[in-house]
Amino acid sequence: MDVCNMTNTERFFIECVKKGINNEKLENKELIPKDVDYKQLYKLCASHSMSVIVCKAIENVRQEMPEGFLNAIDRSVQRHVIKDVQSEIDIKTVLDAFEDNGIKHMPLKGYHLKKLYPSTEMRYASDCDVLIDIEQLKQVRALVDELGLATKRHDEHHDIVYYPETKTIFELHKCIFVGPLKKYFGIGFERATVKDGYKYFYEMNREIFYISILAHSAYHFAESAGVGIRHLTDIYLYRKAYDLNEEYLDEELKKCGLLQFKNQFEKLSNFFFKDEQADEFTLKLADHIIESTLFSNEEKKAASDVASKSNDSSCDVKKAKKRTFWSALFPPKENMQFSYPILKKHLWLLPIFYFVRWFHVLFTRPKNISKLKSVGKVKSEELDEMKYIRTGLGINEL
């Protein structure tokens, strides 16, 4: 693996992940760096949801590791295994009910991807994303009530429901993506066909599904200034499992503006898990993903927010900060209509609802004030770093 700014602990973490997703184990204690920070290693496992994968990889060298670390990671694995078993039951129950009751539906992301891992608990997730037909929304809501799911939230883009006993969450999406990506995917069913043997269960072909994986990662990276290692293990295992039509894939990626993102993320995935050579940008991206997800700090998110408002070269940090503050104070009308649906019919009320929003932020969302303060602290070098990464990934328009 090329030289970058990762610590030996972070390098060891990546090595364990690589072994685990390939169903291999560390066989030699000499592979364990002498200066491993086991507290940091556990935080990496937890923050990237890699505990099960790392635990599988270290089975043969456990005797070389501290008892405290092993106890902590074992508890994490036990929780994941139990929740995975229960979530599998819950998901099957809901999807079977959709099929039996004529509900048009399409499971997304993790439902399919977890089957590519050596064992499903390696990619445990407490929620299941499913696309539904908004024309059947009343029927869907009646059915989930009948199944005993509670409602966490209803909004314009999805209903979030869950089983109170097991905490398995279902995000019932009314469209796959919002913003620029919606232009390509539409609602989502347009890019899918009915699965063989079913009447109402939809699925995408392998190339389009892969594009949806990349789109999900790109969207989250643009929104959160980074994503976890699991986005990269998904990409690695999907490419390993299937032969894709590369010409068709790249043509479709050009249409939705994700070809550059795909190329860079595949480079990073191959650097981590296939020991391929890395260029300067890949090394920078590797450091960024490890750090941003581990600490999930407001500083990187703030720098990314400012960078998204400074796409032109003439925009310095002061001007970009002003744009960010202005956008936070006066979100676009589309965002306001999402938060306050009444504005779709009565847009003339927009100025009043800006005051309503400010009141809510001041008295019910103190974290938003903290985020604005973080924006004010963004330094020129932090802005330059985020502009470099966002531009390199081609996600400035997301």
Side-chain angles (χ1 to χ4, degrees), residues 54 68 105 190 208 372 395 397:
V54 170
H105 63 288
E190 302 93 320
I208 299 300
L372 284 177
I395 59 173
E397 301 304 317

Side-chain angles (χ1 to χ4, degrees), residues 39-308:
K39 184 176 181 179
Q40 184 193 17
L41 181 60
Y42 178 74
K43 287 182 178 179
L44 284 163
C45 293
S47 63
H48 289 275
S49 295
M50 291 287 123
S51 295
V52 178
I53 291 172
V54 170
C55 197
K56 295 277 187 181
I58 63 172
E59 278 184 6
N60 294 342
V61 292
R62 287 173 63 94
Q63 68 276 9
E64 307 297 328
M65 297 182 173
E67 185 177 355
F69 166 75
L70 295 174
N71 289 339
I73 200 169
D74 285 345
R75 286 195 299 272
S76 178
V77 169
Q78 289 166 7
R79 289 193 297 269
H80 279 73
V81 171
I82 293 170
K83 289 180 179 178
D84 182 66
V85 171
Q86 186 59 62
S87 68
E88 285 282 315
I89 296 171
D90 293 340
I91 291 168
K92 185 177 187 305
T93 298
V94 171
L95 295 185
D96 285 351
F98 283 172
E99 180 71 18
D100 294 342
N101 287 272
I103 302 294
K104 190 176 177 181
H105 63 288
M106 180 165 63
L108 306 169
K109 299 180 314 191
Y111 174 83
H112 302 283
L113 291 169
K114 68 186 305 180
K115 299 171 186 177
L116 303 180
Y117 286 71
S119 57
T120 58
E121 69 270 15
M122 284 187 173
R123 200 195 183 279
Y124 161 75
S126 61
D127 61 350
C128 177
D129 296 270
V130 185
L131 179 67
I132 57 168
D133 188 348
I134 195 170
E135 298 296 326
Q136 295 182 299
L137 186 56
K138 288 185 179 180
Q139 189 178 350
V140 169
R141 288 177 175 175
L143 180 58
V144 296
D145 284 345
E146 183 180 325
L147 292 171
L149 284 88
T151 299
K152 184 176 182 179
R153 185 172 81 245
H154 290 167
D155 61 43
E156 185 177 3
H157 298 302
H158 47 36
D159 283 9
I160 302 179
V161 297
Y162 65 98
Y163 276 111
E165 300 85 0
T166 61
K167 309 303 180 187
T168 302
I169 298 171
F170 293 84
E171 293 193 7
L172 306 177
H173 294 258
K174 298 160 191 176
C175 60
I176 298 181
F177 294 106
V178 297
L181 293 171
K182 189 176 181 180
K183 295 178 181 178
Y184 177 81
F185 283 97
I187 297 300
F189 288 113
E190 302 93 320
R191 295 285 181 177
T193 57
V194 178
K195 184 178 181 179
D196 289 344
Y198 292 82
K199 293 182 178 180
Y200 305 100
F201 187 124
Y202 281 69
E203 63 180 4
M204 305 173 196
N205 69 36
R206 286 176 179 171
E207 287 78 13
I208 299 300
F209 183 76
Y210 185 52
I211 293 171
S212 77
I213 298 171
L214 294 166
H216 177 252
S217 295
Y219 175 79
H220 277 285
F221 199 106
E223 287 290 304
S224 305
V227 293
I229 296 297
R230 193 167 71 180
H231 288 251
L232 296 166
T233 59
D234 286 347
I235 288 171
Y236 169 76
L237 290 173
Y238 196 86
R239 295 309 314 250
K240 182 180 178 182
Y242 302 118
D243 291 324
L244 304 180
N245 183 328
E246 299 296 335
E247 184 177 351
Y248 169 70
L249 175 63
D250 285 356
E251 284 300 316
E252 294 301 305
L253 285 164
K254 288 177 185 176
K255 292 177 184 178
C256 59
L258 290 174
L259 181 58
Q260 185 175 341
F261 183 87
K262 171 255 191 185
N263 290 338
Q264 295 295 357
F265 256 56
E266 285 188 353
K267 280 184 183 179
L268 181 56
S269 175
N270 292 337
F271 168 59
F272 277 156
F273 309 128
K274 295 174 72 174
D275 291 329
E276 291 189 0
Q277 293 296 308
D279 56 24
E280 180 183 349
F281 180 79
T282 300
L283 295 175
K284 186 70 174 177
L285 185 59
D287 290 334
H288 178 83
I289 286 182
I290 290 288
E291 293 171 3
S292 62
T293 304
L294 173 61
F295 300 112
S296 196
N297 59 57
E298 285 188 1
E299 288 76 14
K300 287 188 180 291
K301 178 67 170 67
S304 182
D305 288 343
V306 175
S308 70

Side-chain angles (χ1 to χ4, degrees), residues 23-40:
N23 205 21
E24 299 173 354
K25 296 178 176 61
L26 292 168
E27 298 293 348
N28 188 344
K29 67 180 182 180
E30 301 301 322
L31 295 174
I32 306 174
K34 298 185 184 302
D35 59 347
V36 169
D37 181 335
Y38 284 96
K39 184 176 181 179
Q40 184 193 17

